[in-house]
Amino acid sequence: MTLIKKNPNTLDSWKKLQSNFKTLSQKKLNEYFAEDSDRAENMSIRWKSFYIDYSKNLLDQSTIDLLIQLAEESGLKQAISSYFDGEKINETEDRAVLHTALRQNSSSTVMFEGVDVVPEINKVNEKMFAFADQVISGQWKGFSGKPISHVVNIGIGGSDLGPAMVTEALEYYRNNLNVTFVSNVEGDHVEEVIKKLDPETTLFIVVSKSFTTQETLSNANTIRKWFLEHASEKAISQHFIAVSTNLEKVTAFGISEENVFPMNDWVGGRFSLWSTVGLSICLAVGSENFKNLLKGAGAMDAHFSATDFKENIPVILALITVWYNNFWGVETEAIIPYSQYLRNLPAYLQQGIMESNGKGVDRNGNPIDYQTGNIIWGASGTNAQHAFFQLMHQGTKLIPADFIGFAKPLHEGNDHHDKLMSNFFAQTQALMQGKNAEKVTEELKSAGKSKAEIEKLLPFKVFQGNRPSNTLFIDQLTPFNLGALIASYEHRIFVQGIIWNIFSYDQWGVELGKQLANNILSDFDGDDLQHHDPSTKALIYHYKRFRT
Ligand code: F6P
């Protein structure tokens, strides 16, 4: 079964949502709460150690019901089955989207093209876990007989962002291995990394699904050249590991077959941290923690695929985004984790969400006349409060936000967590409630301001409020909960893509720039720039003056 291909704006529920928006658009969050004393309870979902509060949104139950109707009319139920059953829902690349198979129970069955893929996943995982154990325990030695103390992950996009974000997020669970990530093609990036490395004790993991990515191969080649200035060719096998689907290219690069951790074609780059792409995570936190990360994601998969839409975390949160995006005309969405460990979650989700749903053509190949993927941005709280929250509180733009926080800190013994949590709750409260003229006047009066001063200051100090947010409140930052959290965002991407009638799992939009960069690269040594536009031509001329 292929996905159904109906544009959402032709559906009955869409039209009803348009009139629902007209009815509700002037209504204030405070009014919703005043009308329904059980709103916080009714508009929240409890699942394992997650408490999802979506009550601070500009909608009521009638909106939620219509959004669910929209999901149903879009064929979401059937689409979820197609996704989990390994159908080739990534039609434009003729691929299945089966990263969910990587986190299923090792005794379950996941069929793809008539074959159960789980035994092969188990086999590869066993190899990965055994390798990680050897490196962590010091059994795996470098060319001079010393154990490995530093791991460098060479990759970009999905071969970098996921492992880097999770490794950082699980800092608390880390062992003694240092892990560094090199991604950019910028020579200064790789040189800064090399500067700090000891060739005798460093392990390099070249991660590239395609093994054709310019950035990754350039960095890998530069690092290999540097390495060979200190060691022999023979030593490569103790220091270079590859993760890829492209065995031929890996061996041509000089990494032997036994040092390759394969990945499957049906794992998309931005959803690949669960596969062997997660090797650096496994090295940094050990196999047990990695397994728990997988278990958490697997638990979220089970929740998503089996729970009624009304109680389904990814479905409800995805639909709320659709509500703001397509009916309120909102363009961006902020992600604010109240955890410094998760400071790179927004950057990671930028790829996941924007590379997936940044599409302007529907599944029938026609241009789209409604909004699709949102612009994602954010930073960790409370830092973000001192940076861009001003605009969220008093600016002219409506910015729905996900606030993510953990009830229990990882380190005990200080009084910071109450302060962090009070900020976490206060911000969504302030965004919702605002501060009216009466309250501001009262405060200014008690601060001793004159009537004239109050009149002058009043408009600047009033907060309109009525700004929406979701609170994703989780017991503690554990590998399991992190896995579930990431998987919940993956499924939100899927739900939105289904509703917007787009293909979420290709990324043709990143190809043109790569092609043009190759053309320009070869033009640096030539004299004929006539085929370039005047602006680009001038830039190339300017650059050529600096080339040595
Ligand atoms: O540029 C886009 C992209 O294809 C991403 O989707 C992917 O994560 C990244 O490049 C890296 O690709 P690879 O793992 O094949 O090197």
Side-chain angles (χ1 to χ4, degrees):
M1 271 269 294
T2 54
L3 302 174
I4 67 164
K5 297 181 175 175
K6 280 192 215 159
N7 281 355
N9 55 1
T10 62
L11 302 173
D12 184 44
S13 50
W14 189 273
K15 293 176 186 111
K16 288 186 180 150
L17 280 160
Q18 282 171 327
S19 53
N20 188 265
F21 169 72
K22 277 193 195 130
T23 316
L24 299 181
S25 62
Q26 296 309 313
K27 195 160 170 177
K28 304 280 178 264
L29 276 170
N30 289 341
E31 294 173 52
Y32 287 117
F33 276 93
E35 271 172 21
D36 177 7
S37 55
D38 293 331
R39 185 175 166 97
E41 183 56 34
N42 293 340
M43 294 200 168
S44 57
I45 302 175
R46 282 163 219 260
W47 173 82
K48 296 195 182 285
S49 51
F50 283 54
Y51 170 24
I52 307 296
D53 175 10
Y54 62 94
S55 64
K56 293 189 182 93
N57 278 296
L58 296 159
L59 46 76
D60 67 11
Q61 196 53 46
S62 68
T63 318
I64 293 288
D65 292 345
L66 287 171
L67 287 166
I68 288 173
Q69 190 188 327
L70 175 66
E72 280 159 358
E73 286 175 5
S74 306
L76 182 61
K77 258 208 180 83
Q78 181 56 48
I80 294 174
S81 304
S82 302
Y83 174 30
F84 281 82
D85 290 349
E87 288 174 26
K88 292 191 172 175
I89 59 169
N90 178 358
E91 261 185 51
T92 57
E93 293 182 341
D94 194 29
R95 286 178 178 149
V97 179
L98 251 188
H99 51 274
T100 51
L102 298 164
R103 53 234 192 172
Q104 297 314 300
N105 205 303
S106 57
S107 56
S108 52
T109 303
V110 180
M111 300 303 285
F112 174 63
E113 295 187 324
V115 179
D116 179 9
V117 295
V118 176
E120 187 56 29
I121 294 171
N122 292 341
K123 199 171 124 202
V124 172
N125 277 351
E126 284 317 314
K127 180 179 168 182
M128 175 161 79
F129 300 150
F131 174 72
D133 291 346
Q134 271 188 311
V135 176
I136 296 165
S137 66
Q139 263 175 277
W140 181 282
K141 303 276 194 268
F143 67 88
S144 65
K146 291 185 187 164
I148 298 298
S149 60
H150 202 138
V151 174
V152 177
N153 187 95
I154 309 168
I156 196 163
S159 299
D160 165 71
L161 287 163
M165 184 276 287
V166 172
T167 303
E168 197 170 69
L170 297 181
E171 173 77 38
Y172 178 80
Y173 303 88
R174 292 277 294 269
N175 52 38
N176 54 331
L177 289 175
N178 278 312
V179 185
T180 303
F181 292 83
V182 192
S183 51
N184 206 326
V185 76
E186 180 187 1
D188 289 346
H189 184 187
V190 67
E191 295 299 344
E192 287 298 335
V193 170
I194 287 176
K195 193 161 105 176
K196 298 177 199 104
L197 298 179
D198 175 354
E200 292 179 51
T201 54
T202 305
L203 182 79
F204 300 97
I205 313 175
V206 189
V207 187
S208 176
K209 182 179 170 184
S210 59
F211 227 80
T212 57
T213 305
Q214 184 198 48
E215 291 88 338
T216 304
L217 295 186
S218 304
N219 284 329
N221 277 315
T222 299
I223 286 176
R224 188 178 57 175
K225 194 162 157 255
W226 164 82
F227 180 79
L228 290 176
E229 285 163 14
H230 305 273
S232 68
E233 279 280 344
K234 223 175 110 230
I236 295 260
S237 64
Q238 284 147 287
H239 292 266
F240 282 78
I241 303 292
V243 172
S244 187
T245 54
N246 195 339
L247 198 58
E248 209 179 297
K249 287 253 181 331
V250 174
T251 35
F253 176 85
I255 296 179
S256 55
E257 223 169 290
E258 64 273 13
N259 278 4
V260 181
F261 289 86
M263 62 185 287
N264 294 89
D265 184 52
W266 38 254
V267 180
R270 52 193 176 273
F271 304 99
S272 64
L273 70 88
W274 322 101
S275 70
T276 47
V277 170
L279 178 57
S280 52
I281 305 173
C282 208
L283 286 162
V285 299
S287 339
E288 278 316 305
N289 285 318
F290 189 76
K291 284 180 202 166
N292 285 332
L293 182 82
L294 296 180
K295 277 189 193 148
M300 181 52 76
D301 294 342
H303 165 80
F304 173 60
S305 58
T307 309
D308 192 272
F309 290 169
K310 285 192 173 76
E311 290 296 318
N312 193 313
I313 297 170
V315 172
I316 292 292
L317 297 180
L319 291 172
I320 291 174
T321 295
V322 171
W323 172 238
Y324 291 119
N325 189 45
N326 298 99
F327 300 92
W328 284 81
V330 154
E331 301 226 319
T332 85
E333 207 163 27
I335 294 175
I336 320 288
Y338 274 67
S339 163
Q340 197 60 13
Y341 292 113
L342 294 190
R343 61 192 173 278
N344 273 319
L345 182 69
Y348 165 75
L349 291 175
Q350 277 176 333
Q351 188 201 16
I353 298 173
M354 293 161 79
E355 195 165 90
S356 300
N357 286 341
K359 308 287 164 62
V361 167
D362 68 20
R363 288 199 286 268
N364 297 304
N366 298 321
I368 281 172
D369 58 358
Y370 47 87
Q371 292 288 312
T372 60
N374 267 335
I375 299 161
I376 300 298
W377 58 289
S380 64
T382 61
N383 294 15
Q385 291 171 206
H386 297 272
F388 53 76
F389 268 42
Q390 167 62 36
L391 186 145
M392 291 176 72
H393 283 291
Q394 284 190 314
T396 54
K397 294 180 171 55
L398 184 66
I399 301 170
D402 276 1
F403 282 72
I404 304 166
F406 299 94
K408 269 168 75 71
L410 293 170
H411 292 274
E412 306 278 350
N414 61 50
D415 65 352
H416 289 237
H417 205 61
D418 280 351
K419 293 173 188 163
L420 180 73
M421 288 294 100
S422 62
N423 276 279
F424 177 51
F425 303 139
Q427 289 299 322
T428 60
Q429 190 176 47
L431 285 165
M432 172 173 79
Q433 291 185 342
K435 198 194 275 185
N436 61 24
E438 233 177 326
K439 177 91 180 113
V440 176
T441 310
E442 195 186 300
E443 281 180 7
L444 289 172
K445 256 190 204 155
S446 42
K449 298 282 179 206
S450 68
K451 199 165 173 263
E453 281 172 323
I454 293 174
E455 256 169 41
K456 194 172 169 205
L457 278 175
L458 193 63
F460 304 102
K461 293 205 140 213
V462 166
F463 284 53
Q464 297 303 335
N466 208 36
R467 291 166 193 241
S469 63
N470 295 310
T471 298
L472 284 64
F473 197 19
I474 305 165
D475 287 359
Q476 197 168 35
L477 178 52
T478 61
F480 183 96
N481 287 337
L482 180 66
L485 176 69
I486 300 169
S488 75
Y489 276 101
E490 291 181 346
H491 299 320
R492 285 163 74 167
I493 294 169
F494 171 81
V495 172
Q496 287 159 7
I498 292 301
I499 289 174
W500 289 326
N501 192 22
I502 54 178
F503 287 122
S504 299
Y505 298 99
D506 59 22
Q507 56 286 314
W508 302 109
V510 300
E511 295 305 323
L512 175 61
K514 291 184 193 172
Q515 258 172 24
L516 297 186
N518 281 332
N519 297 346
I520 292 174
L521 185 62
S522 54
D523 283 344
F524 287 154
D525 289 320
D527 290 323
D528 179 16
L529 298 180
Q530 290 319 313
H531 53 288
H532 289 291
D533 64 90
S535 162
T536 309
K537 197 162 55 185
L539 291 167
I540 297 173
Y541 273 131
H542 185 74
Y543 172 60
K544 278 170 137 232
R545 291 173 32 224
F546 292 88
R547 287 182 82 220
T548 46

